[in-house]
């Protein structure tokens, strides 16, 4: 099978390239300067020329706060229109699409874990645009997997783990939000699950994927910096005003993903493996 990775230079895109290379899988990888997914004609021409069996869509506009104002147009252009272009092109060549979405499609008010079938209610522009991307995938008629994930960290690019480590080098005390609950996700786990769905020929549709267990950002930070000489203290979200609304509790159920036979490690184990690496 031939794979096409879109968003190749991003955090997930680089992880996917690393994984496929190690598995000796044939793939082509394009970043935005090589394949602009907002250019519908270019997307159709490129996919028809390469004719991949699977398209792994790791392309996204992820500046959540900027998406509320100065980045709003680009957010919708990439996450909604760009996704529609890819999905329609994939449908035309009868390939398979794996699209990565977000926990921000939910408002974070549910007491229990969010199921794939739960009603969505995004409260920020990023979440709204990613949900529009989901709708575009579903409406395209393409054979597709939509993988919602959350709190992503990994070796490539900027993320919460690297931010905490850098701050700990400059400061002897950090304050971190303790009233937002979610599930951290290692890019390696996410990339492996995307490939797993293809390898086991799982039913098409929406899946939730993160590492197992729950944490607040404060608990996540404490684990990241447990071996560092720095004090980490909890604070409420209003101590760090942000443009974009963040769900208070965006814990997504992993049961559907587990039923495919995919083994999911805890976020603590995954974090420790990442830090050791």
């Amino acid at each position: 099978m031939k794979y096409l990775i879109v968003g190749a230079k991003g955090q997930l895109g680089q992880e996917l390239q690393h994984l496929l290379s190690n598995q000796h899988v044939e793939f082509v990888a394009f970043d935005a300067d090589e394949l602009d997914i907002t250019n519908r004609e270019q997307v159709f021409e490129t996919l028809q020329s390469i004719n991949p069996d699977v398209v792994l869509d790791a392309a996204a506009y992820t500046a959540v706060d900027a998406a509320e104002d100065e980045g709003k147009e680009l957010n919708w252009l990439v996450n909604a229109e760009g996704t529609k272009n890819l999905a329609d092109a994939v449908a035309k060549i009868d390939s398979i699409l794996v699209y990565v979405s977000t926990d921000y499609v939910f408002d974070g008010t549910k007491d229990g874990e969010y199921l794939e079938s739960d009603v969505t209610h995004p409260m920020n522009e990023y979440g709204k645009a990613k949900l529009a991307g989901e709708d575009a995938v579903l409406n395209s008629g393409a054979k597709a997997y939509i993988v919602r994930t959350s709190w992503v960290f990994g070796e490539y690019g900027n993320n919460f783990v690297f931010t905490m480590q850098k701050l700990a080098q400059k400061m002897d005390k950090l304050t971190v939000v303790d009233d937002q609950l979610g599930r951290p996700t290692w890019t390696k786990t996410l990339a492996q699950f995307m490939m797993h769905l293809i390898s086991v020929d799982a039913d098409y549709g929406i899946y939730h994927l993160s590492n197992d267990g729950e944490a607040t950002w404060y608990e996540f930070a404490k684990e990241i910096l447990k071996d560092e000489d720095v004090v980490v203290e909890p604070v409420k979200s209003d101590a760090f005003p942000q443009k974009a609304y963040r769900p208070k509790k965006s814990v997504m159920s992993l049961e559907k993903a587990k039923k495919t036979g995919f083994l999911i490690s805890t976020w603590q184990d995954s974090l420790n493996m990442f830090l050791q690496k």
Side-chain angles (χ1 to χ4, degrees):
M1 296 181 72
K2 182 191 296 183
Y3 288 75
L4 170 61
I5 299 172
V6 184
K9 293 181 182 178
Q11 184 170 219
L12 177 58
Q14 292 186 71
E15 189 74 68
L16 283 166
Q17 290 187 74
H18 182 74
L19 176 62
L20 269 62
S21 294
N22 285 345
Q23 294 181 349
H24 306 290
V25 173
E26 181 184 0
F27 71 91
V28 179
F30 291 137
D31 199 53
D33 56 351
E34 299 163 317
L35 176 59
D36 178 4
I37 64 171
T38 68
N39 185 327
R40 188 172 177 86
E41 182 178 351
Q42 184 185 18
V43 170
F44 273 74
E45 288 179 353
T46 300
L47 265 64
Q48 288 175 343
S49 173
I50 296 173
N51 195 29
D53 298 290
V54 179
V55 176
L56 302 172
D57 181 13
Y61 178 87
T62 58
V64 177
D65 287 309
E68 294 296 306
D69 39 49
E70 72 266 21
K72 185 174 181 178
E73 182 178 355
L74 185 57
N75 167 53
W76 279 90
L77 193 60
V78 173
N79 292 331
E81 289 301 316
T83 302
K84 175 176 170 54
N85 293 338
L86 274 176
D88 290 346
V90 167
K92 186 170 183 179
I93 63 173
D94 196 30
S95 185
I96 299 172
L97 176 65
V98 186
Y99 169 64
V100 179
S101 189
T102 173
D103 59 322
Y104 283 9
V105 300
F106 299 113
D107 59 18
T109 60
K110 183 178 179 180
D111 289 335
E113 299 177 352
Y114 279 102
L115 304 175
E116 286 82 354
S117 57
D118 281 342
V119 175
T120 53
H121 186 213
M123 298 290 287
N124 59 40
E125 290 298 316
Y126 172 70
K128 292 174 184 177
K130 291 297 286 185
L131 180 59
E134 289 189 13
D135 292 339
V137 171
L138 295 173
N139 292 332
S140 70
K143 296 179 289 189
Y145 300 102
I146 295 171
V147 182
R148 293 173 180 154
T149 192
S150 59
W151 298 23
V152 178
F153 69 93
E155 182 177 352
Y156 310 101
N158 297 318
N159 56 67
F160 185 72
V161 174
F162 291 148
T163 298
M164 289 298 102
Q165 290 176 328
K166 290 175 183 176
L167 288 174
Q169 292 174 359
K170 302 175 184 178
M171 307 167 67
D172 54 12
K173 184 174 76 171
L174 302 177
T175 53
V176 183
V177 170
D178 194 34
D179 58 358
Q180 295 175 22
L181 188 69
R183 283 188 156 139
T185 309
W186 188 12
T187 50
K188 183 175 181 179
T189 304
L190 178 56
Q192 288 175 337
F193 180 67
M194 293 169 71
M195 294 296 291
H196 170 80
L197 289 171
I198 302 297
S199 67
V200 301
D201 193 24
D203 292 339
Y204 299 123
I206 301 173
Y207 292 82
H208 292 168
L209 192 283
S210 64
N211 287 107
D212 218 338
E214 304 174 1
T216 64
W217 289 109
Y218 163 73
E219 292 168 337
F220 192 13
K222 286 279 287 184
E223 186 69 16
I224 293 166
L225 301 174
K226 63 182 180 181
D227 296 323
E228 303 295 330
D229 186 20
V230 60
V231 175
V232 183
E233 295 184 346
V235 294
K236 299 300 181 185
S237 295
D238 55 15
F240 295 102
Q242 295 174 299
K243 295 179 184 177
Y245 172 89
R246 263 70 170 182
K248 291 296 184 182
K249 184 178 181 182
S250 58
V251 178
M252 298 186 295
S253 172
L254 303 176
E255 291 310 306
K256 185 177 179 181
K258 290 177 179 177
K259 287 179 180 178
T260 67
F262 188 70
L263 300 178
I264 305 176
S265 60
T266 65
W267 68 265
Q268 294 96 330
D269 286 344
S270 295
L271 174 63
N272 288 328
M273 284 188 283
F274 168 66
L275 293 176
Q276 290 169 10
K277 179 180 179 182

